[in-house]
Amino acid sequence: MSPEEIFALPYRPNVGVMLVNRQNRVFVAQRLDSEFDAWQMPQGGIDPGEEPRVAALRELQEETGVSPELVTVEAETTGWITYDLPHDLVPRIWKGRWRGQKQRWFLMRFHGDDGQINIQTEHPEFSQWAWADHRDLVDKIVPFKRDVYARVVADFSQYL
C-alpha cells in the first residue's frame, strides 16, 4: 500500500483500560502474538452500536477475566487519542482496513485479588502479566504506541 492509500484509511474505534490495584500499580501483559518484548494494557475494538465504557468493561473481562463487579471506573480520557500503525504493518493487521486506532481510555480501580485475574481466557491474547509502576509504562510499550501511553499516564496521573 502506498502512503497515500494508508493516509486515506479511517481509524479503528477502540478502547483501552488502565487497571490499577490498591497500591496504584498498573496491570500490563505481554502479547502472545508479539515477537518483541512489548507489554501493553488491555484494549480492544468497539462493536457497532456499543458505547465505549461498555466496550472497555467487556474487553477487560475478555482479556483478563476481571468482571465488571470487581472494578470501579474512576476516569476517562477526554476525546479520542489516535495513533498510526507503521506503514509495513497496515496491510497485515485488520486486513488493511485501518490506518491505526482512535482510542478512548478508562482508568479502572481493581478491588479483587490477583487470583481473580485469569489471562487464560477463551481467546487468550497474553502470555504473562504483571503489576507495573505507571512511570515505567511508556518504556514497556512498542514505539508506535508510546505517545498514546504518555498521554494516558498524564491524563490519569492525579489518580495514581
Side-chain angles (χ1 to χ4, degrees):
M1 295 180 82
S2 73
E4 293 78 21
E5 290 171 314
I6 292 170
F7 185 74
L9 293 172
Y11 288 105
R12 177 178 180 249
N14 187 276
V15 290
V17 176
M18 178 184 272
L19 182 69
V20 296
N21 65 12
R22 290 174 186 90
Q23 292 77 37
N24 286 327
R25 304 215 16 110
V26 180
F27 176 94
V28 293
Q30 172 69 43
R31 290 193 57 86
L32 277 171
D33 63 359
S34 177
E35 56 201 52
F36 306 104
D37 182 29
W39 295 69
Q40 72 174 48
M41 294 182 278
Q43 64 177 59
I46 300 172
D47 293 336
E50 188 176 37
E51 292 295 321
R53 183 185 183 117
V54 172
L57 290 164
R58 175 184 52 75
E59 283 293 336
L60 180 66
Q61 186 162 13
E62 287 177 3
E63 295 184 4
T64 68
V66 173
S67 59
E69 60 270 3
L70 292 175
V71 299
T72 302
V73 179
E74 292 189 354
E76 177 180 346
T77 53
T78 304
W80 295 92
I81 303 172
T82 61
Y83 73 85
D84 290 342
L85 288 169
H87 283 194
D88 63 311
L89 293 182
V90 172
R92 298 185 296 170
I93 296 179
W94 309 307
K95 301 175 184 172
R97 294 179 301 185
W98 315 101
R99 69 189 271 187
Q101 297 195 93
K102 65 176 186 176
Q103 300 182 308
R104 184 70 55 92
W105 281 84
F106 296 84
L107 174 74
M108 297 187 191
R109 181 75 53 186
F110 180 54
H111 303 293
D113 60 56
D114 289 1
Q116 292 170 297
I117 296 174
N118 177 17
I119 60 171
Q120 299 306 315
T121 60
E122 185 176 342
H123 302 285
E125 294 192 28
F126 302 127
S127 60
Q128 58 184 315
W129 70 273
W131 293 111
D133 187 295
H134 70 278
R135 293 171 290 247
D136 298 331
L137 292 178
V138 175
D139 293 334
K140 291 181 177 294
I141 192 68
V142 292
F144 64 89
K145 291 184 182 177
R146 287 188 178 149
D147 288 344
V148 171
Y149 272 52
R151 176 156 169 213
V152 170
V153 169
D155 282 2
F156 294 154
S157 65
Q158 65 184 333
Y159 301 94
L160 304 171

